[in-house]
Amino acid sequence: MAEPAVRPVRRLRADAERSVRVILEAAERVLAADPGASMEQIAEAAGVARTTVHRRFASRQALIEALAESAVRQLAEAVEDGRPDTAPPLVSLHRITANVLRIKGAWSYALSRPDDEGGTAAAGWEQVGARCLELLGRARDEGLLDASVDLEWTRRVYYALIGEALHGPQDQQDQQDQQDPDALATLVVDTLLHGAGRRTGAN
């Protein structure tokens, strides 16, 4: 009996998806180092023929848009992995922060691009922002944030703290700890909730 024809089709689809993933990963590396890099340079870094890149992406702009969409999709998945609706707010906030630090660290170029209004990436950013506001609302309801806090402002501060955490330490002391996403998440969340002021009851 002949083998089902679907098997090679599935294998081809898997190969195509793997090829796209390799190209996007190479594009992130190359463009982070040189935003003006060409499709040929990206193909070389990916270890594929230039025609392969052009077959997957109609233009350099299409490649960059696909890169942004992929990165934002991963960011949204990282947020959902932190169970923002069901986990205790403090636990969820820490896990989401660590997840986001990992994704933003790996896709710094793709996630630093301005939103493309109306595009898939823009929709993903809106989803991430909405989920963040919802989680901060839960944190306020649980008493982790002041009842009168401005959630939009708090979100902006939270984003800024994540951005600063990704800059890394200025010297080599404790560099390994400072680059660990879980350690950085603890620092970000603690600063968001308590600031840099002296704790009540501290000696």
Side-chain angles (χ1 to χ4, degrees):
M1 183 176 179
E3 290 291 326
V6 71
R7 289 189 178 181
V9 173
R10 287 178 177 173
R11 186 178 301 115
L12 179 61
R13 184 178 301 134
D15 289 344
E17 291 174 354
R18 184 161 50 249
S19 175
V20 168
R21 184 172 64 251
V22 168
I23 292 168
L24 292 180
E25 289 172 351
E28 169 63 33
R29 295 194 306 273
V30 172
L31 292 170
D34 177 12
S38 66
M39 295 275 273
E40 289 75 11
Q41 290 173 296
I42 292 170
E44 182 179 357
V48 301
R50 178 175 55 84
T51 52
T52 300
V53 177
H54 284 284
R55 187 165 61 249
R56 304 298 180 208
F57 305 99
S59 65
R60 185 177 183 277
Q61 183 59 33
L63 170 57
I64 290 175
E65 289 174 1
L67 177 62
E69 291 170 7
S70 175
V72 174
R73 183 170 60 251
Q74 292 180 60
L75 191 66
E77 291 170 354
V79 170
E80 296 307 320
D81 179 71
R83 298 186 295 141
D85 293 323
T86 58
L90 184 58
V91 173
S92 182
L93 188 58
H94 182 278
R95 180 162 180 169
I96 287 174
T97 303
N99 287 349
V100 167
L101 287 166
R102 290 187 182 94
I103 298 298
K104 288 181 73 70
W107 301 93
S108 59
Y109 172 82
L111 293 174
S112 66
R113 291 181 51 76
D115 296 348
D116 178 18
E117 187 175 352
T120 305
W125 278 118
E126 289 181 8
Q127 176 188 342
V128 169
R131 297 297 273 154
C132 181
L133 284 176
E134 291 169 6
L135 177 57
L136 291 174
R138 290 187 63 216
R140 180 185 59 188
D141 295 342
E142 291 288 329
L144 296 175
L145 295 169
D146 188 84
S148 63
V149 73
D150 183 330
L151 293 182
E152 180 58 41
W153 172 252
T154 303
R155 181 178 66 166
R156 289 170 60 187
V157 171
Y158 176 54
Y159 284 2
L161 288 171
I162 288 177
E164 288 301 315
L166 288 167
H167 286 169
Q170 297 301 311
D171 54 43
Q172 297 301 312
Q173 185 178 7
D174 296 329
Q175 186 173 21
Q176 184 174 356
D177 288 342
Q178 289 297 312
Q179 290 179 338
D180 176 69
D182 288 313
L184 285 174
T186 297
L187 182 60
V188 167
V189 172
D190 186 64
T191 305
L192 177 69
L193 298 181
H194 306 294
R198 189 167 180 264
R199 302 289 187 273
T200 301
N203 293 327

